[in-house]
């Protein structure tokens, strides 16, 4: 069974851009890195760019390989393949977690999302997002409040998914 990212973690960012990756997330990254456990420091792929607006997306090595395979299936020379390649492959950055469980986010990536003192790492199942904490609080609260206004008062988010074994 493939592990998935779960949870939401606030992490300090130092002046050099170092930020700790939560242990729960490191376990998923290691599970999705074919060279682990032989090499104990898992790698990850950080996706950035204007299409992501306020956050960065972080994928395991295996998850990014699946995305790359999807791009390779697009017709060579097509506008879709060029666009996907530029926006995904061209806007990705590979890094490795250090022995202290941290990564160093380059200044250009920190600037893109306005990251200074505190980051929020938010699980999205097969990837996680890195946000400036204040931006995340503002955006997530507004989006959730707006969406919940359209839901019944006794709304249960589990009603959005099929129960296990339902098949459809």
């Amino acid at each position: 069974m493939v592990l998935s990212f779960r949870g939401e973690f606030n992490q300090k960012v130092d002046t050099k851009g170092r930020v700790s990756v939560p242990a729960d997330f490191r376990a998923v990254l290691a599970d999705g890195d074919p060279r682990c456990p032989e090499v104990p420091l898992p790698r990850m792929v950080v996706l950035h760019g204007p299409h992501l607006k306020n956050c960065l997306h972080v994928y395991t090595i295996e998850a990014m390989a699946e995305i790359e395979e999807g791009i390779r299936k697009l017709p060579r020379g097509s506008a879709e393949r060029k666009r996907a390649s530029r926006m995904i492959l061209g806007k990705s950055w590979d890094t490795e977690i250090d022995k202290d469980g941290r990564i160093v986010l380059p200044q250009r990536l920190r600037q893109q999302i306005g990251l200074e003192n505190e980051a929020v790492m938010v699980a999205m199942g097969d990837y996680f997002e890195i946000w400036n904490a204040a931006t995340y609080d503002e955006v997530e609260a507004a989006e959730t409040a707006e969406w919940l206004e359209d839901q019944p008062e006794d709304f249960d988010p589990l009603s959005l998914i099929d129960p296990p074994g339902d098949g459809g």
Side-chain angles (χ1 to χ4, degrees):
M1 179 170 178
V2 176
L3 297 178
S4 65
F5 295 104
R6 293 189 187 126
E8 181 179 297
F9 301 88
N10 285 52
Q11 304 291 94
K12 296 291 179 198
V13 180
D14 73 13
T15 56
K16 295 179 182 177
R18 293 179 297 206
V19 59
S20 291
V21 176
D24 292 352
F25 287 7
R26 292 195 306 265
V28 178
L29 291 167
D31 188 55
D33 187 343
R35 70 178 197 177
C36 292
E38 291 79 23
V39 177
L41 303 175
R43 298 169 294 165
M44 57 195 248
V45 180
V46 179
L47 186 60
H48 57 93
H51 61 289
L52 297 179
K53 308 287 184 250
N54 296 312
C55 67
L56 307 172
H57 288 185
V58 180
Y59 293 89
T60 67
I61 296 300
E62 289 178 348
M64 185 52 78
E66 290 174 12
I67 292 167
E68 290 172 11
E69 181 61 30
I71 293 171
R72 278 193 289 280
K73 288 180 180 176
L74 296 171
R76 284 183 187 253
S78 69
E80 293 80 12
R81 185 168 177 168
K82 286 179 185 177
R83 198 171 296 115
S85 294
R86 287 180 184 141
M87 293 181 79
I88 297 170
L89 303 178
K91 298 293 184 189
S92 63
W93 171 67
D94 291 30
T95 190
E96 180 180 274
I97 295 177
D98 71 15
K99 63 180 176 45
D100 296 319
R102 301 174 305 188
I103 59 168
V104 179
L105 286 171
Q107 185 174 9
R108 65 187 167 84
L109 298 186
R110 287 179 289 162
Q111 286 176 334
Q112 177 187 317
I113 63 171
L115 187 59
E116 292 179 6
N117 301 319
E118 188 176 12
V120 177
M121 296 184 182
V122 183
M124 301 296 287
D126 60 341
Y127 70 98
F128 68 91
E129 297 174 336
I130 301 175
W131 288 77
N132 167 313
T135 303
Y136 177 73
D137 289 346
E138 180 181 316
V139 170
E140 198 277 335
E143 286 178 356
T144 300
E146 181 180 336
W147 186 75
L148 285 174
E149 283 180 17
D150 296 333
Q151 304 307 316
E153 190 153 327
D154 62 345
F155 172 73
D156 180 353
L158 291 175
S159 67
L160 297 172
I161 59 174
D162 291 330
D166 189 26

